[in-house]
Every structure is written in C-alpha cells, then in structure tokens.
Amino acid sequence: MKKQKVSSAVIRRLPRYYRHLNDLYQAGVERISSNALGSSLGLTASQIRQDLSCFGEFGQQGYGYNVGTLRDEVADILGMNRGHSAVILGVGNLGRALMENFHFERSGVALAAAFDVAPQVVGRQVSGVPVYHVDQLEEYLGRQPASIGVLTVPGRAAAGIAKRLVGAGVKGIWNFTNIELSLEEPGVVVEDVHFADSLLALSYMISEAP
Amino acid sequence: MKKQKVSSAVIRRLPRYYRHLNDLYQAGVERISSNALGSSLGLTASQIRQDLSCFGEFGQQGYGYNVGTLRDEVADILGMNRGHSAVILGVGNLGRALMENFHFERSGVALAAAFDVAPQVVGRQVSGVPVYHVDQLEEYLGRQPASIGVLTVPGRAAAGIAKRLVGAGVKGIWNFTNIELSLEEPGVVVEDVHFADSLLALSYMISEAP
DNA sequence: TAGATTGTTAATCGATTAACAATC
DNA sequence: TAGATTGTTAATCGATTAACAATC
C-alpha cells in the first residue's frame, strides 16, 4: 500500500466501482476478478488493481475479490461510514427534487434539514425533512453541525449563503448553482454540478459526430 | 491548426472558457491574454493556448485575444450555433426544475417538448413547453426531430425510454437517471449526470481532509 | 499440483508545462 | 522601435498499460 496523494482520476472512478460492486452484490455475485470488473466498466484490469492499490490489498491471488468485502472497503474509502450529514439550502424545484427523489442515505449522508425564505415552505416538512427559515441557519448548525451544505439557491444568493455555510462549519459544499464559488476558507471543498457545462460538452460531442 | 481527436480533458474545459469569456464580455472587458485568462481559471497560459490551438488561431501576438470574438468562436466549437433542440422525458420534480429554472437557450439548445404519463401534467404546459403523453414520442419526433433527449424518468423506465429515443433519431442523451445506459447504436452519445457519484466524490474529499 | 489472479515494478502513452522564434 | 504575447515545438510530468514474480 502506497500512501500518496490519490489522483482525482482515481477518486472519480471509485463511486463507479462502488455502484457496480453493489449491483453485483444485490445480484448475488460472490467473487469477481479485476479482469471481469474491468470489462464491465470499460477499464483495464491493470487500472483497477492499480487504483485499489492506493488504499490497500483487498484481493487474493488466484481468487480475485470478494464482492461484498470489496464493496464495503470502497464504501469506507469514500467516507460512507463517517456519519456525514447535510443541510440543503433552497427548496425550489431542484431542492425539492433532491429531497424527494435523491436518496442521500444510500450515499451514507443523512439529510437533516432544509432552509428557505418562502413562507409557504418554511415550517413545513418535505419528505420528512423539516424546512426552516434561512435566518435560523447559524443557530441550527450551532446545535446540529453538518458536514455538507447542498446549494440549490438562486445564483444571486449563492455566494452569500456559501460564505455563511463555511462560517457555520460545513466541510464541503455541493454546488448546484451556476456560480463559480471562490471560498477563502482552506480545507473546505466545493463539488460543482454545472448543468450547463455538462450540456455544452454533450452539444460538442453530438456536433462532432460524423 | 492540428486536426486530431480532441481529448476529453480539453472538451471539459471548453464550457468553462465559454462561461468565463461571457462573464468578461458582459463586464465590458475587450481583450485578454492567455496569462490573465489562465490565472482566473486556475490554469496555465500554456494550457489555454494549447487547448485553443486544437481548433484554430484566435489570438494575435502582442495583443492577446478579443473577448467577444473568442467567446463566439468557443460557442461555435461547442455547437451552440447548430440549432440543437431537445425533448425532455419525465416531468417530475427534476424535469420540472430543469424546465423552469435551467435556461436551455443559453446553451444554444431549444427545449421543444416534454413527455410524461401522468394525467395531471399531460396536455398542459410547463414554462411554455407543451407536455405530451409518452405514447406520442415517436409520432412527435417524426414530425419534429430533436438532437437531444433529456432523461429525467424514474430509473426503472430509463433503459426503455433511452432505446425509444435512439430509435426516434436523437443524437445524444443527457442522462439524469442513476442507470448506466448501454446503447448499441453507434454514434449516439450519452452524457451522464450522476448525482450519487458526485456526492460520493465530495464525501471522499471531506473525509480525507486533515 | 496446476491454473488463476493478485500487487507491484517497469514501460508506454498522453497530457501538461516550458521555452522560444515569430510578429503584432 | 521595444514590449508583449501568440502558436508551436520540445521537455517534463503523471497516468495508464504491460509484464511478471509471488502465491492462493
């Protein structure tokens, strides 16, 4: 096991490993080789072994990997057992879509609360999660710290809310706004979900196709 | 200008270039050097010049790049002027969120129609876009071809609808389901927006932080 | 045991960075 | 003209792939 900085290419592949291993596990598959795993993910066996070797030795010569064990190891590496919790900022369509349709707990994250300003949602529950007024953000996080802030507010509010989240101690921001956040706080991570960038990449690809 | 296959790393940076150049343009900035552009994007000047050289020569020695011109060139490269149109499949919270809050036209894509099965939305309009029953998909696309299918249906319906979209001639699928689509049709591109993968990457990063 | 498959080291490939002649 | 900055070629760096001894 090498203890080096893990490249972002590896990090982006880990969730796919997890997802696929979980599917295999649900399907009752017990063992798998790097070769088989690679071909169903479109990767080489070498790459998978190389990736996993960043974190430990999970296989066995002549046998391969135990699906359940490897899945659990990858889950652990991804931080799924660290008890991360999240609050969501903005209960518009997108925030609501995430609350109602996205299963945070399947990623090991507990969605604890939501915040908005609209009187018609503040004080209510959405998918069992209470919605508070955004004025109560700091007070709430003081009592109930959260590691992740999910940012689904309108773009104009993004920078201000992001700053407040960081001030209140979140460790990561899952940013769904089209704003490029620049946080001064070191150690706080931003994960962007830029819909427009994704659509433009698709637009490029279909425009190039022969 | 080299005419080679453009790497996916470059393609992923192009939308950021576009976004930033557009911001500069809106702010009234007329010219910019690769150096200045690089430092505001966290990239080297070399990389930006190298990236752009895949597509042509857009700058001028001693001057740099004209912001408006370069933005328009990047827009063109990204296919924003090709008249791409899209249909959206699934008018649940996420589909609705995209229809109401995401500006397709800002990416050069016209959202033409939506499809669902629920009687309470079929026949209505959402953000000015008509919602049809999914049974009418092929008939509609026969009359009004679209290059992009936006997939916001429940996971269990994803594979079937994707196949129908491809059969009806779309060139790209913008996939918001957590299903890994495997299309047999060559030349049809899938762009995945995997929320869970993104959240797990964030989870990894905050779990590693010191 | 023989076959299979790992973890790791070495080789290759590709992407990023540096350097610089060309020139506005 | 002198300074600035490009586009491109060469050098470096990092990531992927191949090879193979170890061993289940």
Side-chain angles (χ1 to χ4, degrees):
Chain A
M1 168 172 183
K2 307 173 233 164
K3 184 62 190 175
Q4 296 171 217
K5 174 133 178 35
V6 176
S7 82
S8 124
V10 175
I11 298 171
R12 296 286 151 186
R13 280 191 293 269
L14 288 174
R16 294 187 64 210
Y17 294 167
Y18 173 79
R19 190 149 38 85
H20 195 69
L21 288 164
N22 195 43
D23 289 350
L24 289 170
Y25 184 82
Q26 303 295 346
V29 180
E30 268 192 14
R31 54 170 281 223
I32 192 159
S33 67
S34 56
N35 210 295
L37 191 55
S39 60
S40 55
L41 287 168
L43 305 170
T44 65
S46 241
Q47 182 162 56
I48 288 179
R49 296 206 300 278
Q50 191 75 276
D51 284 358
L52 294 175
S53 78
C54 297
F55 306 102
E57 308 188 1
F58 308 117
Q60 201 172 325
Q61 281 105 327
Y63 173 84
Y65 303 88
N66 177 283
V67 170
T69 309
L70 185 56
R71 180 199 59 171
D72 293 345
E73 291 282 0
V74 175
D76 223 55
I77 292 163
L78 286 169
M80 293 174 72
N81 304 314
R82 296 215 171 202
H84 288 307
S85 62
V87 292
I88 190 164
L89 278 289
V91 189
N93 280 307
L94 181 57
R96 188 179 291 270
L98 288 172
M99 295 175 79
E100 293 184 348
N101 305 125
F102 181 74
H103 300 272
F104 284 84
E105 76 284 359
R106 290 190 193 162
S107 298
V109 175
L111 182 60
F115 296 86
D116 204 305
V117 293
Q120 56 268 37
V121 287
V122 169
R124 304 186 64 173
Q125 294 216 342
V126 173
S127 277
V129 174
V131 182
Y132 302 109
H133 193 279
V134 77
D135 287 349
Q136 300 179 268
L137 179 63
E138 283 80 3
E139 190 248 326
Y140 176 89
L141 288 175
R143 279 186 287 112
Q144 296 280 327
S147 38
I148 295 173
V150 184
L151 207 55
T152 50
V153 297
R156 63 184 177 283
I161 299 282
K163 193 172 172 173
R164 289 175 59 186
L165 282 167
V166 172
V170 307
K171 295 289 169 253
I173 292 182
W174 200 17
N175 178 32
F176 285 84
T177 75
N178 59 352
I179 303 297
E180 198 105 7
L181 298 175
S182 47
L183 306 175
E184 58 286 358
E185 193 85 359
V188 176
V189 186
V190 177
E191 168 75 9
D192 291 310
V193 182
H194 280 314
F195 290 162
D197 288 16
S198 173
L199 179 58
L200 286 175
L202 179 60
S203 168
Y204 174 86
M205 293 185 288
I206 63 178
S207 304
E208 285 310 293
Chain B
M1 168 168 182
K2 309 174 230 164
K3 183 62 192 173
Q4 296 172 217
K5 174 133 178 32
V6 175
S7 82
S8 123
V10 174
I11 298 170
R12 296 286 150 186
R13 280 192 294 269
L14 289 175
R16 295 187 62 211
Y17 294 167
Y18 174 78
R19 191 149 37 86
H20 194 68
L21 288 164
N22 196 42
D23 289 350
L24 289 171
Y25 184 81
Q26 304 295 345
V29 179
E30 269 193 12
R31 55 172 280 225
I32 192 159
S33 67
S34 57
N35 210 295
L37 190 55
S39 60
S40 55
L41 287 167
L43 305 170
T44 63
S46 241
Q47 182 160 57
I48 288 179
R49 297 205 299 277
Q50 192 75 274
D51 284 357
L52 293 176
S53 79
C54 297
F55 306 101
E57 308 188 2
F58 308 116
Q60 202 172 325
Q61 281 105 327
Y63 173 85
Y65 302 89
N66 178 282
V67 170
T69 308
L70 184 57
R71 180 200 60 171
D72 293 344
E73 291 283 1
V74 174
D76 223 55
I77 292 163
L78 285 168
M80 294 173 71
N81 303 316
R82 295 214 172 203
H84 288 307
S85 61
V87 292
I88 189 164
L89 278 290
V91 188
N93 280 307
L94 181 57
R96 189 179 290 271
L98 288 172
M99 295 176 79
E100 293 184 347
N101 304 125
F102 181 73
H103 300 271
F104 284 83
E105 76 285 358
R106 290 189 193 162
S107 298
V109 175
L111 181 60
F115 296 86
D116 204 304
V117 292
Q120 57 268 38
V121 286
V122 169
R124 304 186 63 174
Q125 294 216 341
V126 174
S127 276
V129 174
V131 181
Y132 301 109
H133 193 280
V134 79
D135 287 349
Q136 301 179 267
L137 180 63
E138 283 80 2
E139 190 248 325
Y140 177 90
L141 288 176
R143 279 187 287 112
Q144 294 279 327
S147 39
I148 296 174
V150 184
L151 207 56
T152 52
V153 297
R156 65 186 174 282
I161 299 281
K163 194 172 170 171
R164 289 175 59 187
L165 281 167
V166 172
V170 306
K171 296 288 169 253
I173 292 182
W174 201 18
N175 177 32
F176 285 85
T177 75
N178 59 351
I179 304 297
E180 198 105 6
L181 298 175
S182 47
L183 306 176
E184 58 286 358
E185 191 85 359
V188 176
V189 186
V190 178
E191 167 75 9
D192 291 310
V193 181
H194 280 313
F195 290 164
D197 288 17
S198 173
L199 180 58
L200 285 175
L202 179 60
S203 169
Y204 173 86
M205 292 185 286
I206 64 178
S207 304
E208 285 308 294

